[in-house]
Amino acid sequence: MEKHRVHRLGGGAVAWTPSPVVALATSPCASQVAAAREDGSLELWLVSPGSVGWHHQLTIQGSVEPRVTSLVWVPTGAGGRLLSSSVDGSVAEWDLFNLQQKTVLDTLRGAVWQMAMEPGYDQLFPGSKSSECAANGHANQNGCTDSELSYVDDGDNSDDEDDSAKTSSSYRVNEFQRLALACDDGSVRLYNVPESGALTYYRSLPGVSGRVLSVTWSNDAKFIFSGSSDGLIRCWDSALFHEKYRITAGLGGVGSGRELCILSLLILRCGTLVSGDSSGSVQFWDSRHGTLLQAHTYHKGDVNALATVPSQNRVFSAGSDGQVILYKASKDEFSAHNEKVAEQQSHKWVYVGYVRAHSHDVRALTMAVPVCKEDALPEEKAVKSCRREKPIEFSYHKWAHLGVPMLISGGDDTKLFAYSAREFTQFAPHNFCPAPQRPLINLARDSTVDGDYLMLVQSADCLDVLLVSVQNKLIPSTSSRGDAKIRRQVVHLKSDGSRKIISSAISPSGTLFAYSDCVKPRLFSLKQKGGKKYSLDKINLEKKIRCAQSMMFTADSSSLILSCHDGKIYVFDIAAGKISIEFQPTRTMDGTQPSKEPPVTKMFLSADGQWVAAVNCFGDIYVFNLEVQRQHWFIPRMNEGSVTSGGFCPKNNALVITTSKNEVYVFDVEAKQLGEWSKRHTHHLPRSFQEFPGEVIGLSFPPLCSSSVVVYSTRAMCFIDFRLPIGQDGQLPHGSVVSAEKSDLHKASKTKVKRKDRDEDLKQEKWNNFEFVAFKDPVLFLGHLLDSSVLLIEKRWMDVVKGFGAPVHRDIYGT
């Protein structure tokens, strides 16, 4: 392969302030996880078995105010309804098809702290037929039900599961499923949840002193349990709406009286009620009589969340001390001599251990079950090496088991971690979101200002146009500080009304840039007035162009291409000031009436401006020909994988895409077929690529080469040359990984160096095919410059952490 020169831009050059995770929810089929953040945004992730294949499917920018307090995914309709509560007492629905947030319940008096959905028909009648599950977020024909998922194997088939699998007699008094809201005014309100539309009021339980902070239903829907700020847990009859009994939680833990807050509740099939409170106590109660079974006080602060595996013989708790703790049901009864107790099979809950992956408070837990297909890795021929190479550190098959529950946690450190529910303490959790809410960066590569490049950085509610200078264009520095720097800020632009920015783009010439918020897009002209001064002029767009999920400029900077929430793709002629082309993406090419398609979230443009590839949030690809102004081709999802990145080769217009299954596809767009390289190699890629560390977030093509591409994630990059065989240059079974510090060209100094050192440096001039470079710090952007060198923008995670608030109950080392 050709030589690669890497220029690093690090330090505080780019502002990066991710937002904490405040709530999590799992889809009805357990293959997707929704994460709500404090800034009002919601992310949807596709779950994967193990540490490879996690995919950030989409992001919806919601209202910054009010803050989300809880999430619940209602199993009604196609794919269910994802609802969120907030501190102003309103309930909103997240439309995952149109990528919008809409209110379904107006503001109540005070905050809604938690929501709980009444057990559905499938949970009340486990043998009933249910709606189809989804594989990788899409409906399939497997016919597995939610109840079947609840009995999925978690690796522990001991006898103590037999009793926990018994469900109490079913009980249903209402046509619709009911949603219970824990309200700040001391009441629990019930609402009917139809398949669509607004929630309808059903009934309120009698008010209590203090705030209701947590709520849950019994498995047979006969009772509702609520926890409040007065330290009491109350059991309510869901049909007669009166209090059955109350529990003073402070008797079993370390807290007492009205200072104790019941922050989380969890009910198990065996009839055990689990509570977590502000004293750090996790207590297990007999829900039939309200008596204490056992109490644990291993947390050093608030217990914010509880979760259990589908077999319900393991319970996890998380709190403000950053710990996630596992408790396991033991076969030992509390009173073996007591026949009545023995008949009830009351289990002893044993503390197993903890994992502390988060640096700050853990706010939320949820349980997911991967149902996607797991492909076998191809066999590779081991090549002998004269010395032992260090394998990739990111393991996949250590704990990748299909159908095994996975625990997901999120918190104030903004990260998301996945744990194996089977081997919770045996393997380290997987950080599947290593660069949360990274700023989006675009480079105007085809134009320079006095040798410097213009770069557009998109933050939450502002844009920055920066001048990037490469100090030594011929010999990059090998120092950790890098040899690229920000020369100055050209423009700092706040969005209208400080609304969240959804998408942005800068033209290749650097004279135009645009952005879109949740209302409409805006286009600006950037002109240099002489010296360091720039003028900024607004260009009006047509009113029919509304919120754009993705945008880009044509290669000649004459038009702006936008994919909007109405499902259409517009090509706006900037000189004429009007829409020149309007596309309606469709999967049918026979001229029939196009159906409503999912929103387009990614677009790629060929270098000659002829082809546009648009990717929807589910991974389908629409290819348009700008010359004849019509759709040319529809490419369905490849091998059930969602598209993570893509681009056109600059010389031959071959479309290259990567998927969430770590596969690379090369398409011959004009011939409407898979390229020859893909036919031979796509399903036989090296194991090192199939275990790509982190989700692929971008591709970069050298401007003067048509056969190579750099694929990168926030944690590593990989060089691929389509001319070379897959296993050329002594490819190792686990791949060859070198650090970014050693990945630059050897220093071209005239000083004498040892022959051994010179040989080692020369080895790095040329890269083996499919060879990896691991990054020490999270990488935000990677792109080729005009001279085919690579600009790499990175930032130390500890610099990002400095912008967070201090953790409540423990210090962060090094700060």
Side-chain angles (χ1 to χ4, degrees):
M1 295 179 66
E2 68 275 4
K3 298 178 181 180
H4 292 275
R5 291 175 286 120
V6 179
H7 307 282
R8 293 187 191 84
L9 175 62
V14 176
W16 181 17
T17 54
S19 182
V21 176
V22 295
L24 296 170
T26 305
S27 64
C29 68
S31 66
Q32 295 170 287
V33 170
R37 294 188 180 270
E38 199 173 66
D39 64 355
S41 64
L42 181 131
E43 299 171 357
L44 190 64
W45 291 84
L46 296 183
V47 180
S48 172
S51 59
V52 170
W54 290 82
H55 173 51
H56 181 196
Q57 186 175 4
L58 55 88
T59 296
I60 303 177
Q61 299 292 354
S63 302
V64 179
E65 296 293 342
R67 184 174 65 85
V68 171
T69 56
S70 67
L71 286 175
V72 63
W73 210 318
V74 184
T76 60
R81 302 182 66 182
L82 181 58
L83 305 177
S84 66
S85 61
S86 59
V87 293
D88 72 342
S90 63
V91 176
E93 179 177 6
W94 299 83
D95 188 339
L96 303 181
F97 192 88
N98 296 308
L99 306 187
Q100 294 176 340
Q101 180 190 22
K102 52 188 178 183
T103 302
V104 293
L105 180 63
D106 291 330
T107 302
L108 301 174
R109 293 177 295 177
V112 175
W113 295 112
Q114 201 174 90
M115 300 186 295
M117 197 65 202
E118 181 181 14
Y121 187 80
D122 296 328
Q123 293 166 287
L124 295 174
F125 301 95
S128 63
K129 185 178 179 180
S130 174
S131 59
E132 295 171 353
C133 286
N136 284 337
H138 304 274
N140 62 20
Q141 305 300 323
N142 295 333
C144 57
T145 66
D146 295 340
S147 59
E148 289 171 343
L149 283 174
S150 67
Y151 293 97
V152 85
D153 175 36
D154 69 354
D156 194 342
N157 296 318
S158 56
D159 297 336
D160 55 55
E161 292 187 24
D162 297 338
D163 180 72
S164 66
K166 297 178 181 179
T167 306
S168 303
S169 59
S170 59
Y171 182 74
R172 198 61 176 270
V173 296
N174 194 39
E175 178 184 359
F176 297 106
Q177 278 185 269
R178 294 170 292 178
L179 181 67
L181 307 181
C183 301
D184 192 71
D185 61 1
S187 66
V188 175
R189 291 183 173 87
L190 305 179
Y191 286 84
N192 292 324
V193 183
E195 289 191 1
S196 62
L199 309 184
T200 58
Y201 178 74
Y202 180 76
R203 185 72 183 261
S204 292
L205 301 181
V208 301
S209 60
R211 300 170 294 166
V212 179
L213 303 175
S214 53
V215 64
T216 191
W217 292 77
S218 63
N219 287 282
D220 57 7
K222 285 185 177 181
F223 305 105
I224 299 173
F225 300 92
S226 66
S228 52
S229 59
D230 58 4
L232 298 177
I233 301 172
R234 293 174 173 85
C235 177
W236 306 88
D237 190 303
S238 65
L240 302 177
F241 310 106
H242 65 75
E243 183 179 318
K244 184 181 178 184
Y245 63 80
R246 66 179 63 179
I247 300 171
T248 304
L251 296 179
V254 297
S256 62
R258 296 183 176 274
E259 299 177 356
L260 193 68
C261 294
I262 311 301
L263 302 175
S264 51
L265 291 173
L266 176 69
I267 190 72
L268 305 178
R269 280 194 301 268
C270 61
T272 299
L273 176 68
V274 190
S275 67
D277 57 49
S278 57
S279 71
S281 301
V282 175
Q283 302 179 71
F284 296 82
W285 310 88
D286 184 345
S287 64
R288 290 164 294 214
H289 309 293
T291 55
L292 178 66
L293 300 177
Q294 201 165 1
H296 295 282
T297 57
Y298 291 96
H299 283 287
K300 303 298 187 295
D302 299 350
V303 179
N304 296 322
L306 297 168
T308 184
V309 295
S311 60
Q312 299 195 357
N313 66 330
R314 298 183 180 202
V315 169
F316 299 89
S317 64
S320 59
D321 57 357
Q323 292 187 101
V324 179
I325 296 178
L326 167 63
Y327 311 91
K328 185 177 178 182
S330 171
K331 298 179 182 180
D332 300 331
E333 285 90 20
F334 286 98
S335 304
H337 62 278
N338 190 325
E339 295 181 0
K340 187 174 182 179
V341 175
E343 289 177 0
Q344 294 173 354
Q345 288 290 309
S346 295
H347 298 292
K348 182 178 181 180
W349 291 88
V350 180
Y351 168 83
V352 176
Y354 75 92
V355 173
R356 183 177 277 162
H358 293 273
S359 60
H360 288 61
D361 306 25
V362 182
R363 297 272 198 96
L365 295 175
T366 192
M367 193 67 63
V369 182
V371 295
C372 55
K373 180 182 177 183
E374 182 180 8
D375 294 331
L377 292 175
E379 295 183 359
E380 298 180 14
K381 185 178 179 180
V383 180
K384 293 184 178 180
S385 176
C386 59
R387 62 176 180 176
R388 185 177 180 181
E389 298 283 350
K390 184 180 179 181
I392 289 182
E393 297 178 356
F394 315 100
S395 175
Y396 171 54
H397 285 279
K398 284 184 178 180
W399 51 280
H401 303 289
L402 201 64
V404 172
M406 301 181 68
L407 179 70
I408 315 297
S409 67
D412 285 353
D413 64 355
T414 74
K415 290 192 174 185
L416 293 165
F417 285 93
Y419 314 73
S420 171
R422 176 189 290 179
E423 297 106 354
F424 176 71
T425 57
Q426 296 180 26
F427 297 106
H430 170 54
N431 177 14
F432 62 88
C433 184
Q437 294 184 307
R438 61 184 177 85
L440 298 181
I441 298 175
N442 289 283
L443 187 68
R445 188 181 68 179
D446 297 342
S447 177
T448 60
V449 179
D450 299 329
D452 299 334
Y453 292 88
L454 283 170
M455 181 174 71
L456 180 69
V457 180
Q458 173 190 321
S459 300
D461 59 355
C462 64
L463 294 172
D464 290 294
V465 179
L466 308 173
L467 271 179
V468 180
S469 173
V470 177
Q471 294 178 344
N472 194 331
K473 297 180 175 60
L474 297 178
I475 308 171
S477 170
T478 57
S479 68
S480 59
R481 293 177 298 175
D483 62 335
K485 68 176 183 178
I486 300 298
R487 187 167 295 277
R488 69 176 183 273
Q489 183 186 65
V490 176
V491 172
H492 176 75
L493 181 66
K494 290 281 290 185
S495 62
D496 257 10
S498 296
R499 288 190 288 264
K500 301 287 286 295
I501 296 177
I502 297 176
S503 60
S504 62
I506 188 169
S507 64
S509 64
T511 58
L512 300 162
F513 70 91
Y515 80 90
S516 176
D517 54 29
C518 59
V519 177
K520 63 179 181 180
R522 290 167 175 81
L523 175 62
F524 298 90
S525 172
L526 184 64
K527 297 180 180 178
Q528 189 174 11
K529 298 178 64 176
K532 297 182 179 181
K533 295 183 178 180
Y534 284 81
S535 64
L536 194 63
D537 299 316
K538 185 177 180 180
I539 301 175
N540 294 324
L541 298 171
E542 288 194 27
K543 292 184 178 180
K544 68 179 298 184
I545 303 178
R546 306 305 295 171
C547 173
Q549 191 67 29
S550 178
M551 61 174 61
M552 62 182 178
F553 288 90
T554 54
D556 58 2
S557 302
S558 63
S559 299
L560 176 65
I561 306 175
L562 309 99
S563 64
C564 298
H565 274 189
D566 60 3
K568 296 182 179 180
I569 296 176
Y570 299 97
V571 181
F572 180 79
D573 190 314
I574 298 173
K578 64 179 182 180
I579 297 174
S580 59
I581 308 175
E582 185 176 317
F583 293 118
Q584 178 66 62
T586 178
R587 59 188 60 234
T588 58
M589 306 295 293
D590 54 4
T592 58
Q593 182 68 23
S595 58
K596 177 68 174 177
E597 294 292 319
V600 170
T601 55
K602 297 181 180 71
M603 291 193 298
F604 315 113
L605 178 70
S606 62
D608 61 2
Q610 180 181 1
W611 305 104
V612 171
V615 183
N616 66 28
C617 58
F618 297 121
D620 303 314
I621 305 174
Y622 315 89
V623 180
F624 302 94
N625 190 327
L626 294 183
E627 289 184 355
V628 299
Q629 301 185 7
R630 64 179 177 85
Q631 183 171 335
H632 176 73
W633 193 17
F634 171 74
I635 308 173
R637 288 182 301 122
M638 304 297 293
N639 196 23
E640 300 299 324
S642 296
V643 175
T644 57
S645 65
F648 286 89
C649 291
K651 295 298 182 180
N652 57 11
N653 282 347
L655 175 61
V656 181
I657 67 166
T658 60
T659 71
S660 58
K661 303 192 72 173
N662 288 345
E663 295 174 331
V664 179
Y665 292 90
V666 181
F667 295 97
D668 185 339
V669 173
E670 192 164 358
K672 297 184 181 180
Q673 65 181 15
L674 200 61
E676 290 299 323
W677 185 91
S678 284
K679 292 178 181 178
R680 295 195 303 267
H681 302 301
T682 287
H683 300 294
H684 303 282
L685 298 181
R687 178 172 178 175
S688 58
F689 192 86
Q690 295 197 32
E691 297 186 1
F692 202 108
E695 180 182 8
V696 173
I697 60 174
L699 307 180
S700 183
F701 298 90
L704 304 178
C705 180
S706 62
S707 63
S708 64
V709 64
V710 176
V711 181
Y712 71 97
S713 69
T714 58
R715 303 173 68 186
M717 64 179 174
C718 177
F719 299 95
I720 302 176
D721 193 326
F722 300 115
R723 297 171 303 181
L724 299 180
I726 295 298
Q728 184 166 322
D729 296 332
Q731 175 67 40
L732 297 173
H734 293 284
S736 179
V737 178
V738 296
S739 67
E741 294 296 330
K742 298 179 180 179
S743 63
D744 295 321
L745 286 176
H746 66 288
K747 296 180 180 179
S749 62
K750 297 181 180 180
T751 57
K752 294 183 178 181
V753 294
K754 294 181 180 180
R755 179 176 180 180
K756 180 180 178 180
D757 295 337
R758 186 188 302 115
D759 292 342
E760 287 294 321
D761 285 338
L762 288 173
K763 285 184 180 180
Q764 304 302 334
E765 283 192 9
K766 295 186 179 181
W767 298 100
N768 302 334
N769 205 14
F770 281 91
E771 187 166 1
F772 281 86
V773 176
F775 300 139
K776 180 181 179 182
D777 300 312
V779 166
L780 308 179
F781 173 81
L782 185 149
H784 282 86
L785 303 179
L786 287 174
D787 60 356
S788 294
S789 63
V790 175
L791 176 65
L792 186 148
I793 302 176
E794 58 190 352
K795 187 160 186 173
R796 294 176 63 247
W797 179 248
M798 287 307 298
D799 293 337
V800 180
V801 173
K802 290 177 182 178
F804 299 164
V808 176
H809 289 284
R810 80 184 182 93
D811 297 327
I812 304 176
Y813 294 105
T815 63

